[in-house]
Amino acid sequence: MPTSYTDQFYEIDPFAPPPPGTTLNTFNFDLIDQNDDGTIGSGQGDTVNGILVTASFPGDTVTVNIPGSGDVTVVGSTFYLDNGQIFFTPTDGKILQSGSFVSSTAVSGNTPTPVVALSPPCFAAGTMIRTDGGEKAVEDLTPFDIVMSHDDRKLSPRLILTRTVTEREMANNPKLRPVRIMAGAMGNGLPERDLLVSRQHRVLLKSKIARRMFGQEEVLIPAVKLTALPGIFIDDTVPSVDYYHILFDRHEVIVSEGAPTESLFTGPEALKAITAEAREEIISLFPEVQDIDYQPEPAFYIPANRDQKKLVARHMKNEMAFLG
């Protein structure tokens, strides 16, 4: 089954840009991953605004002069469409604003754009995180706190990053709206209280169905994939949200509102989904993430996009809890 995403775009070709001073306006379009492989690219039937994608160039940049903010550089992907239109969308977590074109850079590689780059994974403010001293709100955590892993190991945060998304930004870019997992929706009374996370934030699922499908009963699934289930939905009533990322020495599963959820994963696509300033902080702590052959290890197996849907469907059919 195809999967639809929503994002913001400039109509521009960074490889053949307009003259400096040209006004760039923002547009909201749907992207459809037709074969549900977790990427948007050519030759796959994928579309932007209903038009077939003929090429994808992740890594392009566009610098725009925003009134009141000055020059802002956005890292993103450029999509060439079958009708001749060319659109650019951010993959660095920035919100596009209308402004005057300054400059651009273009990569040479026509490669698919991973959909994970379209949305940053993070906790919403107010989320209670398990520490060695009890529950603590994510916004109150510091690198001096000891956070408990889901299997009771003691972890020291290396970096805690934050980003505020306003009501206007969410109205312009619905993919920034959080997913609400209501208390008990995952089974066995978990989460203990409503859990609010970004769409791509992964939660740890444990079940016999996962073992039959993947050979291991614990797997990580993005929250947005669970919205077919009762009590899990995109919350469009939240007026604004403060998102937080927690970074450890490696990818971890910690406990938020009593449920096992991931920390920030330093894979290359995840790094594209945060702000440039946050990425620079991470690189200063972990310079190896820039290495061309860097391959971070996820804390648990992350199934392919289509397998995630099958897993959810089988749980629904069998009425089985996700934390069995």
Side-chain angles (χ1 to χ4, degrees):
M1 292 288 293
T3 300
S4 178
Y5 302 85
T6 302
D7 215 332
Q8 284 188 303
F9 294 83
Y10 286 140
E11 186 170 13
I12 184 175
D13 181 0
F15 180 74
T22 299
T23 298
L24 295 182
N25 295 311
T26 63
F27 302 88
N28 287 340
F29 295 138
D30 287 338
L31 306 91
I32 295 181
D33 179 5
Q34 184 64 35
N35 62 356
D36 203 20
D37 69 345
T39 66
I40 305 292
S42 59
Q44 305 176 161
D46 300 336
T47 62
V48 171
N49 196 30
I51 308 300
L52 193 67
V53 174
T54 58
S56 165
F57 295 91
D60 286 355
T61 72
V62 174
T63 300
V64 178
N65 184 270
I66 307 298
S69 300
D71 291 354
V72 176
T73 298
V74 182
V75 181
S77 285
T78 303
F79 295 107
Y80 286 59
L81 307 184
D82 190 52
N83 65 352
Q85 289 182 299
I86 301 170
F87 290 100
F88 171 90
T89 190
T91 58
D92 62 358
K94 288 190 174 69
I95 303 298
L96 296 187
Q97 301 178 66
S98 297
S100 301
F101 174 72
V102 176
S103 63
S104 63
T105 65
V107 300
S108 58
N110 174 14
T111 59
T113 297
V115 296
V116 69
L118 303 176
S119 185
C122 32
F123 296 102
T127 301
M128 301 303 291
I129 305 296
R130 184 174 298 170
T131 73
D132 65 343
E135 303 286 308
K136 192 169 187 177
V138 65
E139 64 268 28
D140 295 330
L141 286 178
T142 74
F144 299 103
D145 285 306
I146 299 298
V147 173
M148 302 304 297
S149 72
H150 80 297
D151 55 359
D152 291 328
R153 289 177 293 111
K154 294 184 177 182
L155 307 172
S156 297
R158 294 296 298 276
L159 197 62
I160 299 168
L161 305 166
T162 185
R163 175 188 180 201
T164 297
V165 180
T166 66
E167 183 176 16
R168 181 177 180 181
E169 288 170 336
M170 286 192 287
N172 289 334
N173 193 355
K175 76 183 181 71
L176 294 174
R177 295 192 183 279
V179 172
R180 183 176 294 275
I181 304 175
M182 296 185 69
M186 295 177 65
N188 290 328
L190 297 176
E192 296 168 351
R193 295 166 294 274
D194 286 8
L195 175 62
L196 207 62
V197 294
S198 62
R199 294 165 60 98
Q200 296 301 326
H201 199 119
R202 300 181 186 96
V203 298
L204 186 69
L205 306 185
K206 180 179 180 180
S207 72
K208 293 178 180 178
I209 293 177
R211 177 172 289 281
R212 287 198 294 270
M213 289 183 64
F214 311 117
Q216 45 197 302
E217 65 181 10
E218 293 177 301
V219 297
L220 287 164
I221 304 290
V224 70
K225 295 295 185 181
L226 305 180
T227 53
L229 299 170
I232 305 178
F233 54 92
I234 303 294
D235 192 338
D236 58 6
T237 67
V238 177
S240 65
V241 61
D242 294 328
Y243 280 128
Y244 286 82
H245 311 272
I246 307 174
L247 181 67
F248 298 98
D249 285 326
R250 66 178 188 177
H251 192 219
E252 297 282 1
V253 172
I254 59 176
V255 183
S256 58
E257 304 295 5
T261 49
E262 71 171 339
S263 65
L264 181 62
F265 186 45
T266 57
E269 300 309 325
L271 292 180
K272 291 177 183 177
I274 59 178
T275 65
E277 293 79 9
R279 190 165 53 253
E280 288 173 6
E281 283 193 78
I282 292 172
I283 289 172
S284 69
L285 288 171
F286 304 98
E288 66 272 16
V289 303
Q290 299 181 97
D291 295 345
I292 193 169
D293 57 351
Y294 174 64
Q295 294 292 333
E297 287 292 327
F300 288 90
Y301 178 65
I302 302 173
N305 216 29
R306 65 191 70 181
D307 290 334
Q308 295 171 9
K309 284 191 171 183
K310 291 178 182 177
L311 176 64
V312 172
R314 290 185 185 181
H315 272 267
M316 292 179 65
K317 181 179 180 180
N318 291 278
E319 298 182 349
M320 183 177 290
F322 272 94
L323 290 173

